[in-house]
Amino acid sequence: MAVDNEIDVKEAFQRAQKSHNNKAKLVASLKSRYNKLEDKTSFHEDFVSCLKHAMIVYKREPTVENVIEFAARFATSFQAPSKAEEEEEKGEEEEEEEDHPFLSFIFNFLLESHKASSHAVRFRVCQLINKLLGSMAENAQIDDDLFDRIHQAMLVRVTDKFPNVRIQAALAMTRLQQPSDPDCPTINAFMLILENDTNAEVRRAVLSCIAMSPRTLPKVLKRTRDVKENVRKLAYQVLADKVHVKALTIAQRVSLLEHGLHDTSAVKEVVCARLLPAWLLRLDGNVVELLHRLDVENCAQTALYMLKAIFKGMAADELLQNRMQLDNRKLIPMDSLTCENVLYWRGLCEFIKGKGDDGDEMLEQVLPDAATYPDYLYGYLQTVPVLSEEQRADLNQLELVMTKKFISQQLIHLISCLDTNEEGGRKRVLAVLQDMLAMPQTPSSLVFLLTEKLLTLMSDDHRRIQIVAEIISDLRAPITEASQPLDENASRRQQVQLAEVKVRILEAKQALEEFIAGQDFNRAAELKESITELEKEHKIIQESARPDDNEIRTEKNDPETLLRCLMMCAELLKQMNIKNRISPTISALMSSLILPSIASAHPTVRSMAVVCLGTCALHCKDFAKTHMVLLLQIAQLDDVKIRISALRAIVDLLLLFGFQLLSEPGSDQKSAERMEEDEEGDVAEDTAQSIVVMLSELLDNEVSELRTEAAEGLAKLMYTGRMSSAKMLSRLILLWYNPVTEDDIRLRHCLGVFFQLYSRESRAHQEVVEESFLPTVHTLLNAPATSPLAEVDVNNVVELLVELTRPSALMKPSTNTERAITACASEEVCVHDYLAVRICGEMLKDPTAPEVRLYAKTLNHLELSRDETVKKDLLSLMQQLVQVVKDRVCLRALEKMISYLVDSKQQAELLNATALQPLDVNADETAMECPSKSAKKDKRGQRKVCAAKGGRKASKRAESSEESDGENVPDSVPAVRPSRRAKTAALEKTKLDLNPLINQEANVS
């Protein structure tokens, strides 16, 4: 580099701000000048002085980023050796060398500045350390003391208050990890961040740089279930790039596929485009081998989703090339059938079938016709062995049978892919399915599937009922022939008699011919009659000589036969049109099979019989009313699984017919007198009340399955409007918060979805929630210390109830009056108005109670309407409360509420100005009272879930979380979108130029 091209520090920093300048040339020029200086101190001071101007800017301005990049390049340019020096050092022993003075100086300066009070300085310090360490060569070394200092400083900064500082600190620690050290503090810090950091961008930064090891792998896998989509997406990318498929257990692979393929579209795209191709690449593209890496017998559906995702990325020719070992009949030889290749075959056929008409030609190349395939399926099903009691104790035999059952199941599923439009093929499939259902050695686990495929091929319900009834009859009462052997002496006598009659017949026929020849026709006619009588006698003797064969139907009542018959009956009732009434054949099955099976001693038979009874009751209201009492008895007295089946049947009947099912008279009672109807209605009300009481008692049951079914049934009944009860809703809310149900995932998920949908469905539902507010709070506040409810946070419950009753959350407008989008902007009295009155009344009962502070805080979170009458009533209640309440916190909250109610005109203007955005009443009121103190007062009494609060809090953190995710970013207020030219002009005005600052510093010096 020529001396003329050398530049000073100030000029280098000025040029570095422009992105079009060549940073490498600037670094070389400044480095040349640095090397020629004898005294480096002044250079160091000038360099740091210029650098400080960039370090005090927190916003990610392009000019500042260019300066930071230039500074990092220049500092690390002293670290990187030339190629010639590298070749010379190859033959020499490695010796510890001291770091370059300038690099050490920069590191010391940054480490001294990392504790600065300015978050901008801390952010730039961590960013520079990250860039310095990242720009060093792979084999670069630094002093141990410097390493420890950097390490300690970054460990402090990863716990910084500002997310962006934590992000840069985590990235800076990337090269400080020691995966082989089980006590590596960096990896420990990374794992702690992944588990506990509230900012999603910080978690993403750690995911991108954490080293994979047996310790860190479970933490990364856990991030695939993160609440933020971006974190889950990056976790799958990291697993695809850094983790071999063989390093994961079978359970981990299945979990990744199961969750990833059912995630949002962005995450699913990463799984399909990155994770699955990476796994296939490491297995040489063998899809069947990938299936071997999964437990397909226990996760067949997940494997099918995976196959579908893989097939979507293949061309048609590639699909046909991977056809497995199909023979000339387009079938896999029975000896070669495995769980993996039969599942692959099914997945391929279903994928091609899903293409519609475009896949018909391809399907013909991978699947035989409907006339050939049924015999193949029937032949394999006959190979499934029936184990004896001794063989069932052998695990190898059990495993063999389970494998054959799984393969048979997949082969049965392939029937859906067959072309059954041709009459001959469809008849053959139907015949084989009937034979397999009637075959005694057919496993019970396949009966449901076989019946489903059989019924799918028929559209007429009458024909379905007839065929299934015939199969059940043949299976339960097969025809057997009973023959009785004859005595030998009697047999000889009959044979002699037959011989005598035959001789007499022959003699008579010869005489007949002679009479005819002699034209003695009268004698011939008489002889002909005698021959006819002899033939009848011969026939009678011959029939009596045969043994008696009698067809006998022996009814089988063993549990296995009954279970198979009930399975077919349950599937039939399920496939039938619910509008069709019960036919005589179904009634016969009910009386001869289903009802007697309810009294069976075997639980599995009883459970299936209850399912059949409940499904059959859905087709006839009179039948349902008749057997409701029986279902209620079963729901309270039988085994757990059977009680669950009965509960589901009861809830389904109430959902379909309502509680009127118990009050409507039968067809034979419709002509009764009104007094009798009233008496019957009272009995029906008692029955309905007993059902509700039973469901309510089950909410406290120790068996989690029963508790969950009862809660789900009540939620369905309330959501569909079949029942409305504030007390029951309070019970469900308390059950949802109860720590006892913490491990019951299904219950928590069901109730969590129900509360949101129920409260947003209608105004009437919100009124029920409002009515349940005080009972729920009272139960929690009065819970004894030994009760699990004592651990529940009452504030959290109150926040939930306030949000559920928020008028702006309604999905449907009011049916009585035209309501605005938000209740606050409407003249209609909303639910929160009534809730405010209830709370005020509760506070007046005991102004000294501890919960008064909670109620006062809740009042400021309500969305009140603009109705003047309501405001006057509330204002009167507030003034009474101010006189009796002594707590200062409560008084401040009440005064804030009073100021809101008094200033109605200004509040109306604010409401009209914000239109669709709900207002934070507390913050706006305090801002109007004292603008200079509004920033301090905003923190008190704000809502945690309100949209208005999010906008005010996020504005304070906007500068500190530009790179963070949407947790701290408010929803944008609807506004007119500016034009592209206006955007460009605004961007030019906001560009930062460091030159004036640098020049000012130079002039002062």
Side-chain angles (χ1 to χ4, degrees), residues 502-531 534:
K502 283 182 180 180
V503 172
R504 290 168 62 186
I505 292 174
L506 291 174
E507 291 176 352
K509 286 183 177 181
Q510 290 178 0
L512 179 62
E513 292 176 358
E514 291 176 358
F515 289 142
I516 292 174
Q519 296 184 357
D520 189 356
F521 296 110
N522 293 328
R523 297 286 301 275
E526 294 175 359
L527 194 58
K528 188 175 182 181
E529 291 178 0
S530 62
I531 290 174
L534 288 172

Side-chain angles (χ1 to χ4, degrees), residues 28 274 429 498 608 636 874 930 969:
R274 298 280 295 273
V429 175
L498 284 174
M608 191 55 60
Q636 299 179 62
L874 286 176
C930 184
V969 181

Side-chain angles (χ1 to χ4, degrees), residues 293-556:
R293 302 290 175 181
L294 307 174
D295 185 11
V296 294
E297 293 186 50
N298 294 321
C299 63
Q301 201 60 41
T302 302
L304 287 173
Y305 283 127
M306 181 197 72
L307 289 173
K308 185 178 180 181
I310 293 174
F311 293 149
K312 281 184 179 179
M314 291 184 179
D317 298 338
E318 192 175 358
L319 285 174
L320 295 178
Q321 288 175 0
N322 299 332
R323 284 187 297 176
M324 311 147 300
Q325 316 96 319
L326 296 179
D327 56 16
N328 53 0
R329 298 179 303 163
K330 302 167 190 173
L331 296 169
I332 301 178
M334 290 188 183
D335 298 337
S336 303
L337 280 173
T338 62
C339 296
E340 289 77 22
N341 62 16
V342 73
L343 190 66
Y344 181 88
W345 190 20
R346 175 193 168 188
L348 180 62
C349 293
E350 289 181 351
F351 178 76
I352 297 175
K353 181 77 173 179
K355 290 179 173 291
D357 297 336
D358 298 336
D360 289 343
E361 295 183 1
M362 296 174 59
L363 192 60
E364 292 177 358
Q365 301 181 40
V366 295
L367 194 65
D369 53 53
T372 305
Y373 184 78
D375 296 328
Y376 172 76
L377 172 60
Y378 187 77
Y380 186 82
L381 198 61
Q382 287 180 322
T383 64
V384 180
V386 179
L387 298 182
S388 61
E389 292 296 334
E390 296 179 356
Q391 291 175 329
R392 289 177 182 175
D394 188 358
L395 295 179
N396 295 328
Q397 291 289 337
L398 277 176
E399 186 178 356
L400 176 63
V401 172
M402 291 175 63
T403 301
K404 284 187 172 292
K405 286 182 181 179
F406 178 80
I407 294 173
S408 302
Q409 186 179 8
Q410 306 312 312
L411 293 176
I412 294 171
H413 276 293
L414 277 172
I415 293 176
S416 303
C417 299
L418 295 175
D419 184 9
T420 55
N421 294 326
E422 186 184 355
E423 185 67 21
R426 184 170 64 254
K427 286 184 177 180
R428 183 58 187 159
V429 175
L430 286 171
V432 171
L433 287 174
Q434 293 179 50
D435 293 342
M436 287 189 289
L437 284 171
M439 194 166 57
Q441 59 266 31
T442 301
S444 300
S445 57
L446 302 178
V447 172
F448 266 129
L449 189 57
L450 287 170
T451 309
E452 178 190 350
K453 299 302 177 186
L454 175 68
L455 299 177
T456 305
L457 295 173
M458 297 177 290
S459 57
D460 185 20
D461 280 347
H462 296 291
R463 189 184 175 198
R464 289 175 171 179
I465 295 171
Q466 179 183 358
I467 290 180
V468 173
E470 290 176 357
I471 296 173
I472 291 175
S473 177
D474 294 340
L475 189 63
R476 193 181 180 198
I479 299 174
T480 58
E481 296 181 355
S483 60
Q484 299 178 356
L486 296 174
D487 188 14
E488 293 182 0
N489 294 329
S491 178
R492 289 195 192 97
R493 286 195 298 269
Q494 288 177 352
Q495 290 178 3
V496 171
Q497 290 176 1
L498 284 174
E500 290 177 354
V501 174
K502 283 182 180 180
V503 172
R504 290 168 62 186
I505 292 174
L506 291 174
E507 291 176 352
K509 286 183 177 181
Q510 290 178 0
L512 179 62
E513 292 176 358
E514 291 176 358
F515 289 142
I516 292 174
Q519 296 184 357
D520 189 356
F521 296 110
N522 293 328
R523 297 286 301 275
E526 294 175 359
L527 194 58
K528 188 175 182 181
E529 291 178 0
S530 62
I531 290 174
T532 304
E533 292 178 358
L534 288 172
E535 287 179 348
K536 290 181 180 179
E537 184 180 355
H538 179 271
K539 187 176 181 180
I540 293 172
I541 297 173
Q542 191 177 17
E543 289 179 356
S544 63
R546 296 177 182 174
D548 294 336
D549 295 334
N550 298 324
E551 292 185 355
I552 302 175
R553 284 186 176 270
T554 57
E555 188 172 295
K556 298 168 66 176

Side-chain angles (χ1 to χ4, degrees), residues 13 16 23 27 30 47 51 54-55 64-80 102-103 106-107 110 124-137:
F13 271 87
K23 299 292 189 302
V27 168
L30 193 60
F47 191 91
L51 184 61
M55 292 179 63
V64 179
E65 295 301 316
N66 291 334
V67 168
I68 297 295
E69 180 67 24
F70 165 73
R73 280 196 184 187
F74 179 75
T76 54
S77 65
F78 298 100
Q79 178 74 24
F102 182 80
L103 189 60
I106 289 295
F107 271 122
L110 294 175
R124 294 300 177 181
V125 166
C126 295
Q127 184 186 24
L128 273 168
I129 293 178
N130 173 33
K131 289 184 176 294
L132 288 173
L133 294 177
S135 301
M136 291 183 179

